[in-house]
Amino acid sequence: MNTVSTVNTANTANTVRTPARTVGLDHAAIGADGWCRQARRYDSPNCDARPEGVAVELLVIHAISLPAGRFGGPHIADLFTNRLDFAFDPSFADLRGVTVSAHFLVRRDGAVLQFVSCNERAWHAGVSCFGGRDQCNDFSVGIEMEGSDHVAFSPAQYQSLAVLSVALGSRYPLAVLAGHEHIAPGRKTDPGPFFRWENLAESMLTCAGQSGFPPPAGGARLVVAHRLVAALCALINVNGCTRKK
């Protein structure tokens, strides 16, 4: 998903206020059923079975806000569960008939929501290709970060995303992490220029170390993948290339 507005306020009646206590993940585990017990569960109908014999090898990071650039409301969860009030904002008219979901959403305060079992295929990537393979939904887990192309992500979001990524690497043979912009170049730009891949890599190493156990193989591979993607993004910026929608 992509966002384009720089506005950073939500309608008062629909704002979920950040509590004083930390609500982000400090630990997580993915069960054999593909659900994270530490996340808030909101079942989405927008999913189906993965192709038989296809392993979960790719972790895709997205960014989303509804309405664009406004944070804290219920609209993302409503979109993923087909309950969006199209009359709330004129921009929602473009979403009529759209059936999408992600496996997880990480809120600005670090709270994590889960919509689809990781054992199933969520409809998050759209037309996509990675490593010469089309249809990334078949072999990926999708995580939406509440944010936009114009606003920095919060420390609580990096913390929760790191914990969740390490947990996913412990359950599945994840080997690669990419942004939506990397699997749909020219069509998508998220998670965007304000997403700091190096921050996520450092947070993942910290999370693995705090667990008291050696980093799981999947988690270790993901840390390397983070750094490779960060290096690639830095090279693109140095060369002055631009990434378009």
Side-chain angles (χ1 to χ4, degrees):
M1 297 274 177
N2 286 97
T3 54
V4 295
S5 174
T6 59
V7 180
N8 188 22
T9 182
N11 181 277
T12 303
N14 292 281
T15 299
V16 178
R17 298 185 183 279
T18 303
R21 67 183 181 85
T22 300
V23 299
L25 294 183
D26 54 13
H27 70 284
I30 310 298
D33 60 357
W35 290 94
C36 177
R37 299 292 182 268
Q38 292 77 25
R40 303 174 188 173
R41 179 168 173 172
Y42 294 81
D43 288 63
S44 171
N46 303 329
C47 61
D48 56 5
R50 296 186 187 275
E52 186 174 356
V54 174
V56 181
E57 300 176 357
L58 173 66
L59 183 58
V60 180
I61 306 301
H62 304 257
I64 185 174
S65 57
L66 287 178
R70 296 168 61 180
F71 307 137
H75 311 297
I76 300 172
D78 289 348
L79 174 65
F80 291 167
T81 54
N82 298 341
R83 298 182 299 181
L84 187 63
D85 178 6
F86 297 106
F88 180 83
D89 188 271
S91 66
F92 289 178
D94 294 337
L95 297 173
R96 288 188 181 275
V98 173
T99 51
V100 294
S101 63
H103 291 93
F104 297 95
L105 168 67
V106 181
R107 291 286 207 176
R108 301 295 294 180
D109 61 4
V112 177
L113 284 59
Q114 185 171 3
F115 300 90
V116 176
S117 164
C118 297
N119 294 344
E120 295 186 291
R121 178 170 56 187
W123 302 344
H124 63 96
V127 178
S128 53
C129 179
F130 194 84
R133 301 171 66 184
D134 295 329
Q135 305 297 330
C136 292
N137 284 339
D138 292 350
F139 55 96
S140 68
V141 168
I143 301 178
E144 293 275 5
M145 301 285 283
E146 188 177 25
S148 80
D149 284 359
H150 308 285
V151 181
F153 295 87
S154 72
Q157 286 182 292
Y158 287 111
Q159 166 69 17
S160 291
L161 179 59
V163 170
L164 187 57
S165 298
V166 170
L168 288 164
S170 298
R171 171 60 63 180
Y172 301 100
L174 292 168
V176 180
L177 185 142
H180 202 185
E181 61 191 317
H182 303 116
I183 65 172
R187 188 175 69 86
K188 295 294 183 178
T189 62
D190 57 314
F194 282 90
F195 187 83
R196 301 292 181 245
W197 297 94
E198 61 276 16
N199 289 3
L200 181 54
E202 292 173 2
S203 295
M204 287 185 65
L205 285 173
T206 299
C207 291
Q210 289 176 344
S211 68
F213 298 95
R221 287 194 297 268
L222 284 177
V223 169
V224 175
H226 290 314
R227 289 175 170 169
L228 290 174
V229 172
L232 175 61
C233 291
L235 180 61
I236 291 173
N237 290 334
V238 168
N239 289 340
C241 297
T242 58
R243 288 167 289 182
K244 300 178 181 178
K245 291 185 179 179

